[in-house]
């Protein structure tokens, strides 16, 4: 499955500050900075006005995000309401190559761009994946988890994600279900059921499990 790429910029504090103060000299041509003094703000905003990719504003967040460094936190299109995965990733790649990397390399900063392709393994354990596949393949896709056998397999999957300590499953679950042939309504309903089931199990573990 495709997803939005992420970009991170890392280095020591002195070099990161030099990057902030000097990035303007690396922005030219079809790129503009929206602020004349971006180092005073939490963001540097790169505005693309060319024709090669969609016109948009790229937001580089200038705070260390949980130890992963500075990051491109958002890309907002200028001439349309939303971007698809390919459009978003193309803008990110172009901004990084045209503007950010030349300055980052000068000040010995490390950069990382994540892959645009993800799979269930990025979000859950192998056992959780097997149980989700079993539910999806055997379930009646027009009735969600309402049949007792389907409901049992669905509950097995939810419980397994808790046992495995899987994180961010909801960020991929609905889209995966749709790509596996579920309609939007049932995929959304199952995602809501997952969130509710997860919340109930976490509440039970935190409040009652140690008392038994």
């Amino acid at each position: 499955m495709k997803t939005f790429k992420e970009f991170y910029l890392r280095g020591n504090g002195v070099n990161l500050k030099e990057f902030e103060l000097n990035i303007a000299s690396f922005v030219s041509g079809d790129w503009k900075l929206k602020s004349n003094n971006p180092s005073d703000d939490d963001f540097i905003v790169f505005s693309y006005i060319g024709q090669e990719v969609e016109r948009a504003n790229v937001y580089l967040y200038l705070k260390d995000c949980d130890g992963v460094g500075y990051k491109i936190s958002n890309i907002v299109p200028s001439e349309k309401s939303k971007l698809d995965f390919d459009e978003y990733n193309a803008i990110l790649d172009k901004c990084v190559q045209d503007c950010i990397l030349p300055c980052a390399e000068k000040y010995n900063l490390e950069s990382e761009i994540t892959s645009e392709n993800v799979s269930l393994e990025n979000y859950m354990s192998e056992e959780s994946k097997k149980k989700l596949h079993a539910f999806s393949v055997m379930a009646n896709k027009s009735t969600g988890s309402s049949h007792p056998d389907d409901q049992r397999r669905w509950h097995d999957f939810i419980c397994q994600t808790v046992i495995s300590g899987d994180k961010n499953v909801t960020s991929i679950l609905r889209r995966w279900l749709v790509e596996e042939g579920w309609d939007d309504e049932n995929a959304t309903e199952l995602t809501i059921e997952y969130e509710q089931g997860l919340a109930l199990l976490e509440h039970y573990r935190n409040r009652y499990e140690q008392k038994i």
Side-chain angles (χ1 to χ4, degrees):
M1 290 177 290
K2 280 195 172 182
T3 190
F4 297 115
K5 288 184 177 181
E6 295 185 353
F7 172 80
Y8 300 98
L9 192 64
R10 304 182 181 93
N12 65 54
V14 172
N15 288 359
L16 286 169
K17 192 64 178 179
E18 287 294 325
F19 170 88
E20 294 178 35
L21 294 173
N22 293 283
I23 184 62
S25 63
F26 292 83
V27 179
S28 61
D30 291 333
W31 290 97
K32 308 294 181 185
L33 286 183
K34 293 199 70 174
S35 172
N36 291 326
N37 191 6
S39 62
D40 288 342
D41 303 319
D42 287 343
F43 295 91
I44 295 175
V45 184
F46 303 89
S47 183
Y48 183 70
I49 58 174
Q51 301 291 331
E52 293 182 31
V53 295
E54 292 289 337
R55 294 182 177 183
N57 295 317
V58 181
Y59 289 77
L60 180 66
Y61 186 50
L62 303 177
K63 300 292 182 183
D64 191 350
C65 306
D66 299 323
V68 299
Y70 294 178
K71 68 176 292 185
I72 289 179
S73 60
N74 199 11
I75 299 178
V76 180
S78 302
E79 299 177 341
K80 59 194 308 185
S81 60
K82 63 186 297 187
L83 299 167
D84 63 27
F85 295 118
D86 289 332
E87 292 168 335
Y88 183 101
N89 293 338
I91 297 165
L92 183 147
D93 286 340
K94 187 163 182 58
C95 183
V96 170
Q97 292 297 325
D98 291 354
C99 304
I100 298 176
L101 278 188
C103 187
E105 290 172 356
K106 179 176 180 179
Y107 296 105
N108 298 315
L109 300 176
E110 297 180 2
S111 62
E112 176 190 358
I113 299 180
T114 62
S115 173
E116 66 180 358
N117 297 306
V118 296
S119 62
L120 290 180
E121 289 85 350
N122 297 110
Y123 294 86
M124 63 185 68
S125 69
E126 184 65 25
E127 194 61 32
S128 298
K129 181 181 126 178
K130 289 179 181 177
K131 290 185 176 179
L132 177 58
H133 272 293
F135 163 75
S136 182
V137 168
M138 301 179 74
N140 183 335
K141 289 184 171 58
S142 64
T143 59
S145 63
S146 60
H147 188 279
D149 288 340
D150 295 337
Q151 186 177 74
R152 174 181 55 78
R153 284 186 286 267
W154 178 242
H155 288 169
D156 283 345
F157 162 66
I158 297 174
C159 291
Q160 185 61 53
T161 64
V162 174
I163 293 169
S164 299
D166 299 329
K167 305 296 183 184
N168 301 320
V169 173
T170 53
S171 64
I172 197 71
L173 182 57
R174 180 190 170 280
R175 185 152 60 92
W176 184 87
L177 289 167
V178 169
E179 291 189 8
E180 290 296 307
W182 294 82
D183 62 36
D184 286 340
E185 182 179 354
N186 278 305
T188 299
E189 182 62 31
L190 284 169
T191 302
I192 294 171
E193 287 181 17
Y194 175 81
E195 292 172 335
Q196 293 172 338
L198 185 66
L200 178 61
L201 287 170
E202 292 290 358
H203 177 75
Y204 171 79
R205 292 182 72 181
N206 293 334
R207 183 157 186 174
Y208 298 106
E209 194 172 59
Q210 294 181 351
K211 298 180 180 180
I212 297 176

